[in-house]
Amino acid sequence: YTQFLQEGVGYSALQAGLASTPFAVGAAVAAGLGGRVVYRVGRSLVAVGLVLVVLGLLATWVVIGLVSGPAVGWAVALPFLVAGLGNGLVISPNQTLTLSEVPPRQGGAAGGVLQTGQRLGSAAGIAAVGSLFYGQLASTGGDFETAMRHGLLLIVLFVGVALAVAVADLVVNRDAQPPAVKSGRG
């Protein structure tokens, strides 16, 4: 997104960073909220978050197709906020739910495995989306809008796969209760 804004639209690095802020704000607010309600809501919170991410990214895809030039950063602010809210409802609650099934003595090892898996998935996703983005840039003679929109669709595909897994988990574990509060919070 920052490459699209800086090289494609002409934003400065500061402007591009500020245009990404709604996503970060949404993620921070929702992560705090998600951490407080995950024990009451359970796994469905992650699925709701993934739906919000998909909706926010699809809205971003639409907006980038409709708005061009310097106004695009402002036009994408609301969809980015929605995607960020969804992200916040996924990341920390997912970690809480995953690690709630692990005996405390094995928490460090389990947390390390979880983080390693997340880092590998992030690296693979960044490589795939970056390759598609720059491949589209090369094949279209520098059409940043097309490259950005193709990259967004691949991200939506990845998040859609995660959503399918979350829904399958909900169906398989539909009778499961939210995890018990082990730390005294709740």
Side-chain angles (χ1 to χ4, degrees):
Y1 182 61
T2 57
Q3 292 292 310
F4 163 71
L5 290 176
Q6 287 180 271
E7 295 181 33
V9 181
Y11 277 31
S12 70
L14 177 61
Q15 289 170 318
L18 290 173
S20 299
T21 301
F23 185 94
V25 168
V29 168
L33 173 67
R36 278 184 254 145
V37 301
V38 67
Y39 286 111
R40 283 178 280 182
V41 177
R43 289 176 159 88
S44 62
L45 184 63
V46 173
V48 167
L50 290 167
V51 167
L52 288 174
V53 173
V54 167
L55 292 175
L57 293 177
L58 287 175
T60 299
W61 182 85
V62 169
V63 168
I64 289 174
L66 295 174
V67 178
S68 61
V72 73
W74 286 105
V76 169
L78 182 59
F80 257 32
L81 178 64
V82 171
L85 289 168
N87 182 272
L89 293 177
V90 172
I91 302 301
S92 66
N94 190 45
Q95 289 180 335
T96 299
L97 291 168
T98 301
L99 295 177
S100 72
E101 303 292 324
V102 176
R105 288 184 40 197
Q106 297 171 340
V113 170
L114 178 62
Q115 287 295 314
T116 300
Q118 289 174 334
R119 297 302 173 258
L120 289 171
S122 293
I126 290 167
V129 172
S131 295
L132 178 61
F133 177 83
Y134 288 109
Q136 285 296 307
L137 258 172
S139 70
T140 61
D143 184 348
F144 278 87
E145 179 187 313
T146 297
M148 180 66 192
R149 293 181 86 215
H150 277 84
L152 279 169
L153 288 179
L154 184 55
I155 296 168
V156 167
L157 175 67
F158 288 151
V159 176
V161 169
L163 177 58
V165 170
V167 169
D169 182 53
L170 285 172
V171 170
V172 168
N173 296 300
R174 84 177 121 232
D175 296 329
Q177 297 297 317
V181 178
K182 295 180 182 178
S183 65
R185 294 175 299 172

